[in-house]
Amino acid sequence: MRHLIWVTLLLSFCLIPAASALAAKDKIIHDAEYYVLEAQNGEKWAADDKKIDKKLAEIRKKNGGKPPNIIYILLDDVGFGELGMPDLNVIRGYKTPNLDALARQGLSLQRMYTEPSCTPTRVALLTGRHPVRTGLVEAKTTLAGEGLAAEEVTIAEVLRDAGYATSHVGKWHMGDIEQAFANNQGFMHAEFPIHQQAQLALMNPEAVQSDITRGIEPGGQAEAFLLDQYFVTDSSRMLTGVELRDGKLYEVDLKPGERWTQKKYREMNERYQESALEQLRGLAKHDKPFFLNYWPMLPVTFTRTDIEEFMTPNGGTFAEGIVEIDAWVGQILDEVDRLGIADNTIVMAMGDNGTMIEYMGLTGAADRIYRGGKGQHLEGGVRVNAFVRWPGVIEPGSSAEDIMHVSDLFTTFARLGNATDNIPADRVIDGVDQTGVLLLGETHGRRDYVYVYEGVDLRSVVKNKYKMHLPAPGEHPILGAGFFDLYRDPREEQKSQSIKLATWAAGQFASMIQRHMGLRQKYPDRPPTHGAPYGGIENLRPETEELIEVFLAGQPAK
């Protein structure tokens, strides 16, 4: 593997048998580093577990035996410091009063790590696993014929099988094959776009006219020598948004012959907000606990053609989108309060990765305290704000610097939903149960490490306040690496200071990587899952059927 030349893959598996023995006791198979921590903190965790179990039992008893509802809002391309932190928001010239209020009403997770881009983060959340283990590691933007495998077990399936009603509204982006669709991954209600904003917000006539995107509009340039009419992507041939009706999926955003436009993107976003509110009202009427998974596509938008009135001194499209999405989150919080379900409803909102700084001049986006953005292993690419509200349970205005990774939410939501027994025991689950941070507060976390991948490449490792950048291929195994104290060098710029850490940290990080890679050998990664795109859609348009036919013509015969 790239970046791992200096790490021997012919390891002794001395730690793995010990890890497996421990896993047999608690059923879930964790990454090897977890067992290093458990060996030192097991007694404290056991004592915390007794307190947590008692608290959860008391909460369920108070609510007639019903575990808490969970509303999870995942915002796209919003990095650390972009919302819920007024002193930082003023730097970019906008305000987020509703997310500020959410932060005041609950817990702010100050060291929440994600994956560097949208699909990998969503895979980690849904499965509790590093995306590299699932074979789905990239944010594909055009027809790909791949997606999340049916064999993966999602948090929606874990909670559904424990008696939860499950609903997904908004961005999905788990692939374009039938088994990857939200309704086939545990959600009893599902409405979502098959693809993502590169199709929806970047590939439309307004984006071409604004010179944000080039080459996608038929007739946009002379094509005298073009033989492959499908190489230049026409987003209107692709599927747009689908909805589950009576157990079947239907496309709802385009009719045959229609063009995809920025106006339709706007309408899609507004419809998803209304649908999320409708789902919330409907779910609250029933006795079942519910898991409402709302993934808006805003604030990601690029053209200014649909902004009726600018609301920020920044004036960039992302800044305007953040203000709008803040208001939408406020509507959801208000509705939870109005319905009288707040005391037994967890509301969590967070970003999925750093901002898309390639478009900073156009959108008003930029890196902040942390360097880097979407797609990068730097802190600016994988550090986000995360806020959790649970009145009467989580202390208002609290914060925690315990390290958390987005995969931890899989295991944590399962425990909160009394569904831990539904977590599969035949694969590595990277997610660590972090219920202690929510219920007991700061310093009750169970993670002090993060492995940061870009695609299939391990690019950096975080341990406590230290971070190592792995050397590039061919570089000296020590001199090529970078070692950083994230409190003294949060922007990871002072590689020249690495020698102060490398004398002891190089061996420690190498051991961490050996353990991690050893477990990947013991439990091999799932290969990518391929298939015919757009299966199971009842009303494919003729232009979409032609697109599929051409795509399949180039696939290898089985």
Side-chain angles (χ1 to χ4, degrees):
M1 290 183 63
R2 193 162 81 97
H3 303 297
L4 290 176
I5 294 173
W6 60 282
V7 178
T8 175
L9 293 180
L10 298 173
L11 336 148
S12 69
F13 284 79
C14 55
L15 283 173
I16 305 305
S20 298
L22 284 165
K25 288 189 223 174
D26 67 2
K27 184 178 179 181
I28 299 171
I29 302 170
H30 287 295
D31 202 350
E33 199 65 18
Y34 173 86
Y35 299 109
V36 172
L37 303 184
E38 185 184 55
Q40 302 170 69
N41 299 278
E43 290 185 8
K44 179 182 182 295
W45 293 354
D48 281 355
D49 281 336
K50 290 180 180 179
K51 296 176 186 176
I52 293 167
D53 288 341
K54 182 179 179 182
K55 277 197 171 190
L56 290 176
E58 290 171 351
I59 293 166
R60 285 195 291 269
K61 183 178 180 181
K62 181 181 176 182
N63 291 281
K66 182 179 174 182
N69 309 310
I70 301 171
I71 300 174
Y72 179 68
I73 304 170
L74 186 61
L75 304 176
D76 212 19
D77 293 355
V78 179
F80 187 86
E82 304 223 39
L83 42 82
M85 302 179 77
D87 291 344
L88 289 182
N89 292 348
V90 71
I91 296 171
R92 286 250 299 278
Y94 60 79
K95 293 183 169 119
T96 58
N98 294 288
L99 286 157
D100 296 351
L102 178 60
R104 291 194 304 270
Q105 294 164 9
L107 170 68
S108 296
L109 298 169
Q110 301 288 348
R111 292 193 74 185
M112 171 63 81
Y113 281 87
T114 63
E115 299 293 315
S117 63
C118 32
T119 294
T121 289
R122 293 156 202 268
V123 169
L125 174 278
L126 287 170
T127 67
R129 287 152 56 78
H130 279 303
V132 71
R133 300 193 196 278
T134 73
L136 191 59
V137 298
E138 293 181 307
K140 297 291 179 66
T141 60
T142 57
L143 212 62
E146 67 176 48
L148 188 65
E151 292 79 9
E152 293 294 338
V153 176
T154 70
I155 185 59
E157 292 171 303
V158 167
L159 292 173
R160 180 200 62 193
D161 293 348
Y164 272 70
T166 57
S167 177
H168 175 85
V169 177
K171 182 171 179 174
W172 180 242
H173 205 195
M174 290 291 104
D176 55 19
I177 58 176
E178 184 174 4
Q179 63 187 280
F181 297 159
N183 54 300
N184 294 321
Q185 292 287 350
F187 287 99
M188 300 155 71
H189 173 86
E191 45 189 303
F192 55 98
I194 297 294
H195 299 284
Q196 43 97 301
Q197 292 95 328
Q199 175 206 16
L200 303 168
L202 276 173
M203 298 180 189
N204 59 52
E206 293 85 354
V208 174
Q209 291 159 12
S210 302
D211 199 28
I212 300 164
T213 303
R214 297 179 186 175
I216 63 165
E217 276 296 293
Q221 56 275 316
E223 298 287 10
F225 304 101
L226 180 67
L227 297 179
D228 183 355
Q229 301 296 324
Y230 287 83
F231 175 75
V232 175
T233 298
D234 179 352
S235 64
S236 296
R237 290 170 173 156
M238 299 162 65
L239 266 181
T240 52
V242 298
E243 291 183 8
L244 187 66
R245 299 174 182 169
D246 299 321
K248 297 179 180 180
L249 278 181
Y250 295 86
E251 184 178 22
V252 296
D253 288 288
L254 282 186
K255 296 177 182 177
E258 279 192 315
R259 306 293 303 164
W260 182 257
T261 64
Q262 180 70 14
K263 180 174 182 289
K264 287 186 177 294
Y265 180 61
R266 160 67 53 182
E267 291 169 349
M268 173 186 275
N269 275 280
E270 292 172 349
R271 185 178 78 249
Y272 287 147
Q273 173 66 9
E274 287 304 313
S275 293
L277 290 167
E278 288 176 12
Q279 282 296 303
L280 176 56
R281 296 177 192 121
L283 291 165
K285 292 178 182 178
H286 300 290
D287 293 332
K288 279 186 173 185
F290 65 81
F291 174 47
L292 175 56
N293 203 44
Y294 179 34
W295 295 353
M297 292 179 294
L298 286 182
V300 178
T301 188
F302 299 91
T303 71
R304 301 162 67 88
T305 57
D306 61 335
I307 299 176
E308 295 182 3
E309 180 182 357
F310 286 84
M311 298 177 286
T312 75
N314 179 301
T317 58
F318 273 29
E320 297 291 322
I322 284 175
V323 169
E324 187 162 13
I325 204 69
D326 175 75
W328 290 0
V329 171
Q331 291 176 8
I332 289 171
L333 293 170
D334 289 346
E335 193 65 17
V336 170
D337 294 341
R338 188 190 71 79
L339 290 167
I341 61 172
D343 287 350
N344 200 38
T345 300
I346 299 164
V347 180
M348 182 171 189
M350 62 179 281
D352 70 349
N353 48 251
T355 189
M356 197 182 300
I357 56 177
E358 291 84 356
Y359 290 95
M360 67 169 79
L362 173 73
T363 64
D367 61 357
R368 296 212 183 175
I369 294 171
Y370 300 115
R371 183 167 61 96
K374 179 172 183 169
Q376 297 178 306
H377 68 104
L378 299 170
E379 296 290 285
V382 293
R383 287 281 291 275
V384 300
N385 290 107
F387 310 110
V388 192
R389 187 187 86 166
W390 192 359
V393 179
I394 290 176
E395 182 182 354
S398 57
S399 64
E401 286 186 51
D402 304 71
I403 290 178
M404 293 186 70
H405 184 259
V406 64
S407 63
D408 296 344
L409 300 180
F410 173 91
T411 321
T412 304
F413 287 169
R415 184 165 189 186
L416 293 169
N418 201 26
T420 301
D421 288 346
N422 295 336
I423 294 175
D426 62 347
R427 65 201 69 185
V428 176
I429 301 295
D430 296 288
V432 172
D433 177 16
Q434 299 279 30
T435 310
V437 178
L438 305 187
L439 270 59
L440 305 180
E442 190 175 67
T443 74
H444 290 276
R446 300 186 181 184
R447 175 190 290 277
D448 70 351
Y449 64 95
V450 177
Y451 297 96
V452 185
Y453 282 83
E454 290 179 4
V456 298
D457 297 328
L458 182 61
R459 294 300 312 278
S460 60
V461 182
V462 177
K463 180 75 167 178
N464 189 16
K465 68 173 185 171
Y466 303 107
K467 184 171 184 178
M468 184 186 80
H469 294 182
L470 276 67
E475 284 192 298
H476 188 279
I478 300 299
L479 299 180
F483 297 87
F484 306 91
D485 180 331
L486 292 174
Y487 285 107
R488 294 195 178 197
D489 182 15
R491 290 181 62 80
E492 304 162 83
E493 292 178 323
Q494 304 300 322
K495 187 177 177 181
S496 62
Q497 300 295 302
S498 291
I499 190 62
K500 296 179 180 179
L501 298 173
T503 51
W504 64 268
Q508 296 292 76
F509 276 111
S511 294
M512 285 183 66
I513 294 168
Q514 285 180 337
R515 292 191 286 266
H516 176 68
M517 300 307 295
L519 206 64
R520 280 184 63 189
Q521 285 192 342
K522 185 176 177 67
Y523 296 93
D525 301 337
R526 185 185 303 282
T529 301
H530 299 284
Y534 300 162
I537 309 299
E538 295 295 313
N539 59 334
L540 289 175
R541 291 172 284 124
E543 53 266 45
T544 305
E545 291 179 333
E546 291 175 8
L547 176 65
I548 297 169
E549 183 179 352
V550 172
F551 175 83
L552 293 177
Q555 301 304 304
K558 290 186 179 179

